[in-house]
Amino acid sequence: MASSASLLSLALCSLLLFQVCSAQFETGRVWGSSRSQRKSQQQNECQFRRINAQEPDRRITSEAGITEIWDENDDQFRCAGVAAIRHTIEQRGLLLPAYSNAPKLIYVDQGRGYHSAAIPGCPETYQSEQESESRDPRQGSRDQHQKIRKIRQGDIIAIPAGVADWFYNDGQSPLVLVQIMDTSNFANQLDQVGFQKFFLAGNPQREIQGQRGQPSRHLYRGSEKGRGGGGGQEQRSGNIFQAFDEQFLAEAFNIDTDLARRIKNENDNRGIIVRVEEQLEFLSPEFSEEERRQSSQGGGRTGRWSANGIEETFCTAKLRHNINDPSRADIFNPRAGRLTTVNSFNLPILRYIQLSAQKGFLYRNAIMTPHWNMNAHSINYITRGSGQIQIVNENGESVFDGQVQEGQIITAPQNFAVIKRAGSDGLEWISFKTNDNAKINQIAGRASTIRAIPQDVLANAFAISREEAQRIKFNRREIGIFSPETRSRGRRD
């Protein structure tokens, strides 16, 4: 009898292990493999002589906000294989549910609100009390849906390709979202036309869609038409239900044809950000005292993630990480600033979408060490302040040497040498990286390439004296970010 029980226990454990491994395999297959590579770029797309700090090229006004899109045909975006979008959502504004053909990384630049991603195949785990007590979902039910997350300034949010998500602003100030869509990711199986957004609701403007390969139009739709959703003269692309037969929709949802016709939103001119007339209602549990304490201490799981299928499953994957928290800084210099990184080690889903991010804060006149990005392109969005950036290509030629300011994007291609200096008001930026574990190679300061090279090698390579080589190696004693100290001879550590 004991032997039978042992065999039964062993069989159940084996079955559980098989199910976990199968779920992990399916997760990797749906979201992409960590070993996958990015699509190869067209020949010479990264061979350019000049990069410019760019502001948005297209602006589309909706009822409760503005969407701005950078020119996908600009050399730096073609080289990096990405598209950049900024949404400004007004109070009680709802960014309509949509999915896209490429994974995206979103930075909350301002404000607060709510976000939810509808993960395919996962249950609606948020249920009202009436729903949990009633067996018939049509009786006594308020609602049931998937998890909803509170978001705030400094959050990084990762969304895989094909996953529908939405945002809602419940704060008193605008909610500003800056997002990068990785159109060169292997998850994008469509042709190279840039990003494509598929809306589940509304009647979106056609200019919302990607325009890779098309002439730049510098469109600023709706800015002169007031806040009525962009006006009725704009071309509309429609939501995914518009071309379906009403009878098919009625049968699919088990509704009447009148309601099926209404969800097509064919005469809706509100745009993709609509205003909620009353406060949006959904299920959102309150934090317990224990959960608040864990959240303030870092949220539980940290460190290197092991892909065993138990720590984090497909349906409970963490999608958000705050990069503004000073306590999470990877490099901190009280006289210069700090650098904070979000990668696949502290946000494991990035392993599947092959993106990461770094937030930089430089105090007045401080410098980020000259460096190059070893395994990724770096798309830098300036969030606050101003400063000077220099970028140098493989021929030792300057491709950018100029001032940058809030709201601009400048891309540093892989292996191009970069240096940043903050202006009088400091400099803050968010760098989106096209690798889930992006690395930089520092050129100056401690832990730099120059420090790793013998003094005599430097002297002979630069045709300088050994004493001068020593000063190059050891005069800067800081790591990563440098204070604006005056030049001095310095001594070896």
Side-chain angles (χ1 to χ4, degrees):
M1 190 72 179
S3 177
S4 300
S6 299
L7 288 174
L8 179 60
S9 299
L10 180 61
L12 289 174
C13 290
S14 300
L15 179 61
L16 175 61
L17 180 61
F18 174 77
Q19 292 291 341
V20 167
C21 293
S22 298
Q24 182 65 40
F25 172 76
E26 289 297 324
T27 301
R29 188 172 67 177
V30 172
W31 281 356
S33 169
S34 63
R35 292 183 291 273
S36 66
Q37 299 177 355
R38 292 163 56 79
K39 293 180 180 178
S40 60
Q41 302 297 314
Q42 297 296 322
Q43 187 175 7
N44 298 325
E45 280 196 339
C46 292
Q47 300 295 321
F48 38 69
R49 293 181 175 270
R50 189 68 184 167
I51 299 174
N52 296 310
Q54 294 287 344
E55 296 185 357
D57 179 70
R58 307 199 302 276
R59 181 182 183 193
I60 302 99
T61 300
S62 297
E63 178 187 47
I66 295 172
T67 299
E68 297 166 291
I69 305 173
W70 277 260
D71 181 13
E72 310 99 284
N73 295 305
D74 187 83
D75 287 342
Q76 61 182 305
F77 295 115
R78 294 181 69 91
C79 170
V82 301
I85 302 175
R86 181 171 62 205
H87 296 292
T88 302
I89 306 173
E90 297 176 358
Q91 183 180 7
R92 298 203 317 276
L94 173 67
L95 179 59
L96 295 177
Y99 59 94
S100 63
N101 61 326
K104 57 188 179 183
L105 205 56
I106 304 165
Y107 175 71
V108 181
D109 188 33
Q110 178 184 327
R112 71 176 196 193
Y114 287 91
H115 169 258
S116 181
I119 308 296
C122 295
E124 300 85 13
T125 54
Y126 281 35
Q127 302 179 43
S128 64
E129 184 177 356
Q130 292 92 329
E131 176 62 35
S132 61
E133 293 176 351
S134 173
R135 294 185 179 182
D136 186 349
R138 295 170 296 181
Q139 296 179 1
S141 171
R142 284 179 53 205
D143 197 10
Q144 58 179 353
H145 51 71
Q146 289 190 15
K147 183 176 181 178
I148 293 177
R149 300 164 177 85
K150 289 185 176 181
I151 58 171
R152 60 187 175 94
Q153 183 178 8
D155 279 348
I156 288 286
I157 303 166
I159 302 296
V163 172
D165 69 327
W166 54 267
F167 289 87
Y168 174 67
N169 181 4
D170 74 328
Q172 302 298 316
S173 61
L175 174 62
V176 180
L177 311 171
V178 179
Q179 69 179 40
I180 292 295
M181 303 178 66
D182 186 11
T183 55
S184 290
N185 193 289
F186 266 97
N188 174 21
Q189 296 294 303
L190 298 178
D191 53 14
Q192 292 298 301
V193 295
F195 69 91
Q196 294 180 350
K197 296 185 74 68
F198 300 81
F199 283 87
L200 275 66
N203 192 21
Q205 300 93 328
R206 191 173 295 275
E207 291 79 21
I208 293 295
Q209 302 299 341
Q211 298 182 5
R212 176 68 59 85
Q214 301 179 26
S216 177
R217 303 186 215 172
H218 299 280
L219 294 172
Y220 282 80
R221 290 284 188 185
S223 58
E224 73 281 358
K225 296 183 177 66
R227 307 300 290 179
Q233 301 299 319
E234 294 176 297
Q235 289 186 318
R236 300 282 169 169
S237 59
N239 66 44
I240 61 174
F241 298 123
Q242 281 197 12
F244 281 126
D245 181 82
E246 293 171 7
Q247 187 62 42
F248 279 6
L249 287 177
E251 293 182 14
F253 286 100
N254 192 22
I255 56 178
D256 58 65
T257 55
D258 179 64
L259 182 55
R261 180 169 55 254
R262 288 163 57 194
I263 66 174
K264 293 185 175 186
N265 293 131
E266 291 176 319
N267 298 316
D268 190 337
N269 291 323
R270 296 176 298 169
I272 66 169
I273 306 174
V274 303
R275 191 177 309 283
V276 177
E277 295 304 324
E278 299 181 1
Q279 191 70 21
L280 201 65
E281 291 188 6
F282 45 76
L283 302 172
S284 180
E286 296 294 331
F287 275 115
S288 67
E289 191 61 35
E290 176 67 19
E291 289 171 323
R292 286 194 185 96
R293 183 161 53 252
Q294 291 180 358
S295 178
S296 66
Q297 294 173 353
R301 292 193 302 267
T302 57
R304 187 181 180 92
W305 176 63
S306 176
N308 59 16
I310 297 177
E311 265 191 286
E312 185 162 304
T313 65
F314 184 80
C315 295
T316 61
K318 180 183 176 184
L319 304 181
R320 177 181 60 86
H321 185 94
N322 193 276
I323 201 171
N324 274 15
D325 187 348
S327 67
R328 295 177 175 175
D330 299 296
I331 297 176
F332 172 64
N333 184 332
R335 295 184 298 169
R338 65 182 187 269
L339 294 174
T340 307
T341 299
V342 174
N343 55 29
S344 56
F345 295 121
N346 48 19
L347 189 59
I349 191 176
L350 296 179
R351 180 177 181 226
Y352 295 103
I353 70 174
Q354 292 286 285
L355 295 171
S356 59
Q358 184 180 68
K359 183 67 187 289
F361 295 81
L362 288 182
Y363 302 154
R364 178 176 181 177
N365 297 328
I367 298 172
M368 180 175 179
T369 178
H371 65 277
W372 68 84
N373 294 279
M374 297 175 62
N375 57 352
H377 301 300
S378 180
I379 302 93
N380 304 281
Y381 174 80
I382 310 302
T383 59
R384 301 288 184 277
S386 62
Q388 183 178 7
I389 296 179
Q390 296 181 344
I391 304 175
V392 177
N393 68 10
E394 74 279 10
N395 296 317
E397 301 168 337
S398 173
V399 295
F400 182 79
D401 181 3
Q403 294 291 315
V404 293
Q405 59 187 7
E406 181 177 340
Q408 291 183 325
I409 285 181
I410 181 75
T411 298
Q414 179 185 5
N415 292 331
F416 282 40
V418 186
I419 188 170
K420 299 182 177 81
R421 180 194 290 275
S424 59
D425 295 326
L427 179 66
E428 298 180 23
W429 72 92
I430 180 76
S431 295
F432 300 95
K433 312 272 188 160
T434 57
N435 190 299
D436 68 295
N437 187 23
K439 300 179 178 67
I440 69 169
N441 202 326
Q442 301 180 34
I443 302 174
R446 299 180 66 175
S448 67
T449 296
I450 293 296
R451 279 274 188 128
I453 298 175
Q455 188 172 300
D456 272 11
V457 173
L458 293 177
N460 284 276
F462 293 131
I464 58 178
S465 69
R466 292 179 179 177
E467 291 74 16
E468 289 169 327
Q470 184 182 38
R471 293 203 299 271
I472 291 175
K473 283 192 68 170
F474 299 111
N475 267 19
R476 181 60 78 172
R477 304 179 182 182
E478 299 155 303
I479 297 177
I481 47 179
F482 305 151
S483 58
E485 59 188 20
T486 57
R487 297 188 185 95
S488 62
R489 292 185 60 86
R491 292 184 300 174
R492 183 170 179 168
D493 292 345

